[in-house]
Amino acid sequence: MRSQAPSRRSFLKLARLPADWFLAAVLLVALSLYLLGLSWGLPNVESWMADDISPWLPLRVGKTYLFGWHKYPFLHSWISLFAYGPYLLFLLLSGGLDLSCYPRISEACFSDAYTQLSALRLVSRGLSVLMALGTVYAVYCLALRLCGERGPARFAALLAACSFGLVLYAHMGNLDVPHCFWFVLSLYFFLGVLQRGHLFDYAAFGLSAGCAIGTKEGIIGAYLLTCAAIYAAHLRRELRASGSTGLRDLLAASLDRRLLALVGSMLIVYAVSINPFNWSGFLEHWKLWLPSQPRMAGFQERFFEGYLDLFRRIALDLRYAMGWPALALCVAGLFYAPWRRRWSAVLLLPALSYVLFSIVPAKYAPMRFV
């Protein structure tokens, strides 16, 4: 496969805002959309949005991480707490926060709970805005690595920026935009693994994929076929280089330090995110997602009317999220891109893997899953 990818140095250069007026305009439009109405529902001490973890889970994450459990991993809660840090320090120094109630954090800990907890919720929403912008930029970098041309990359960024789903969930303090950001970033390094196979690409893919799973585990299904493709491409490259297909060469290729770096970084990030040393909390966390669990069975009984209906609703959600013209253009691209560059079809693997191993087993697919 001939690489048209930017080098590692080029990616680090791309990580800064490029001198590209069209992309800058896209990011400005996206920022305007994501900030519009960001304070809706405030002031309030509770969120009106399902699965919004702000601000209570980040504020209580230390105790929950060590002794309790939650239905989602804790990576984004720690990131949110870090983002809360400056404001919490200000409250502490100004007398607006009473730490004597720790770890039983409640409204009583704050001198003006409605104002102060609303400010923390705005910090969480601002974090989602930044990660939504990061998702748009990661889409740009991904498309640029895929085709090597700025025109398609700019247009891909525009499609992502104006997606209804991204606009909606950029306003929330939940986990949908953060894990989407890590996922798209991991796809950039996925292409790097396939194109170049440098140690940096393997480790970066493992870290970003670990962050995606450590944010929201529902994305894990997207990595099954993706990692299988990485392993197959790795074996093909290494065995071709060695000129042998013997068992010893196969074992050596499988224990290559790049694969170990990928697996190790992914598992370490996930372990740090979920804390398996809190064994009882770890087990309770995973029990919640078992298909036999009453909560999951209730969801399936309520929403599942057969696989045809499931795929129909996925198609409808995509239509709502993108609109008919953009969706039709993207569907056409699914056929045109592999015809233009055959290997570009590998990007269909994560989407197919997610549907097969996350959505289909769950038998449940609200728009934010899609």
Side-chain angles (χ1 to χ4, degrees):
M1 169 187 314
R2 188 175 61 184
S3 170
Q4 293 179 326
S7 64
R8 176 183 175 185
R9 184 176 299 175
S10 299
F11 174 74
L12 296 177
K13 186 176 179 181
L14 284 172
R16 308 186 191 98
L17 186 65
D20 185 328
W21 66 267
F22 189 93
L23 179 61
V26 167
L27 292 174
L28 184 60
V29 168
L31 181 62
S32 302
L33 291 172
Y34 303 157
L35 290 178
L36 181 65
L38 195 67
S39 62
W40 288 347
L42 299 177
N44 207 328
V45 297
E46 298 290 345
S47 176
W48 52 269
M49 175 60 197
D51 281 351
D52 188 339
I53 66 169
S54 67
W56 294 115
L57 184 59
L59 288 175
R60 300 164 177 165
V61 66
K63 182 180 179 181
T64 310
Y65 184 83
L66 293 174
F67 307 109
W69 68 279
H70 191 264
K71 63 180 179 178
Y72 296 128
F74 299 105
L75 177 63
H76 195 67
S77 295
W78 285 111
I79 294 174
S80 298
L81 183 62
F82 180 80
Y84 291 174
Y87 184 65
L88 291 175
L89 180 61
F90 166 76
L91 291 180
L92 185 62
L93 295 177
S94 63
L97 175 62
D98 179 13
L99 277 187
S100 65
C101 61
Y102 185 83
R104 294 174 177 256
I105 300 291
S106 67
E107 294 175 39
C109 301
F110 298 86
S111 61
D112 183 3
Y114 266 78
T115 300
Q116 294 159 349
L117 292 173
S118 295
L120 291 176
R121 183 162 290 115
L122 272 177
V123 172
S124 287
R125 293 181 182 182
L127 193 56
S128 286
V129 168
L130 290 177
M131 298 186 91
L133 289 175
T135 301
V136 173
Y137 190 69
V139 166
Y140 171 81
C141 294
L142 177 62
L144 186 60
R145 166 164 267 180
L146 182 67
C147 61
E149 301 173 18
R150 287 192 179 271
R154 292 166 174 170
F155 195 69
L158 179 62
L159 286 175
C162 297
S163 165
F164 167 72
L166 197 58
V167 172
L168 174 63
Y169 289 107
H171 289 73
M172 311 298 177
N174 60 11
L175 301 175
D176 295 295
V177 167
H179 94 296
C180 184
F181 164 73
W182 293 116
F183 171 65
V184 177
L185 184 63
S186 72
L187 293 186
Y188 178 85
F189 297 115
F190 169 56
L191 287 186
V193 170
L194 298 183
Q195 291 177 328
R196 304 182 310 180
H198 293 175
L199 176 62
F200 171 79
D201 300 307
Y202 284 79
F205 173 82
L207 287 171
S208 51
C211 286
I213 299 169
T215 301
K216 192 173 183 181
E217 286 152 326
I219 198 65
I220 194 169
Y223 289 112
L224 297 181
L225 294 182
T226 305
C227 289
I230 288 176
Y231 182 62
H234 175 82
L235 287 185
R236 181 172 179 267
R237 182 162 47 219
E238 294 305 301
L239 294 179
R240 177 180 292 179
S242 67
S244 173
T245 57
L247 182 60
R248 179 175 297 179
D249 296 284
L250 181 64
L251 183 61
S254 299
L255 296 177
D256 185 276
R257 63 176 186 145
R258 290 167 294 176
L259 281 181
L260 296 179
L262 186 158
V263 175
S265 58
M266 185 185 296
L267 292 179
I268 289 172
V269 171
Y270 177 69
V272 170
S273 302
I274 197 63
N275 189 16
F277 298 104
N278 173 14
W279 187 243
S280 61
F282 181 76
L283 289 181
E284 289 298 323
H285 165 81
W286 273 105
K287 285 179 183 178
L288 181 72
W289 299 107
L290 294 177
S292 58
Q293 203 266 350
R295 176 176 170 273
M296 294 303 297
F299 274 126
Q300 293 175 357
E301 182 179 348
R302 180 180 175 187
F303 294 104
F304 183 66
E305 297 180 2
Y307 290 109
L308 288 179
D309 178 71
L310 182 67
F311 289 115
R312 179 186 67 84
R313 285 188 284 115
I314 289 174
L316 288 176
D317 283 347
L318 288 173
R319 186 196 72 179
Y320 293 143
M322 305 182 70
W324 277 121
L327 179 59
L329 189 64
C330 289
V331 170
L334 292 179
F335 295 95
Y336 176 73
W339 174 78
R340 178 89 179 271
R341 295 178 178 85
R342 283 187 304 170
W343 69 270
S344 67
V346 297
L347 272 187
L348 295 177
L349 284 177
L352 179 63
S353 185
Y354 178 67
V355 171
L356 291 179
F357 300 109
S358 286
I359 289 184
V360 169
K363 301 179 182 178
Y364 173 54
M367 177 180 284
R368 60 199 182 97
F369 288 14
V370 179

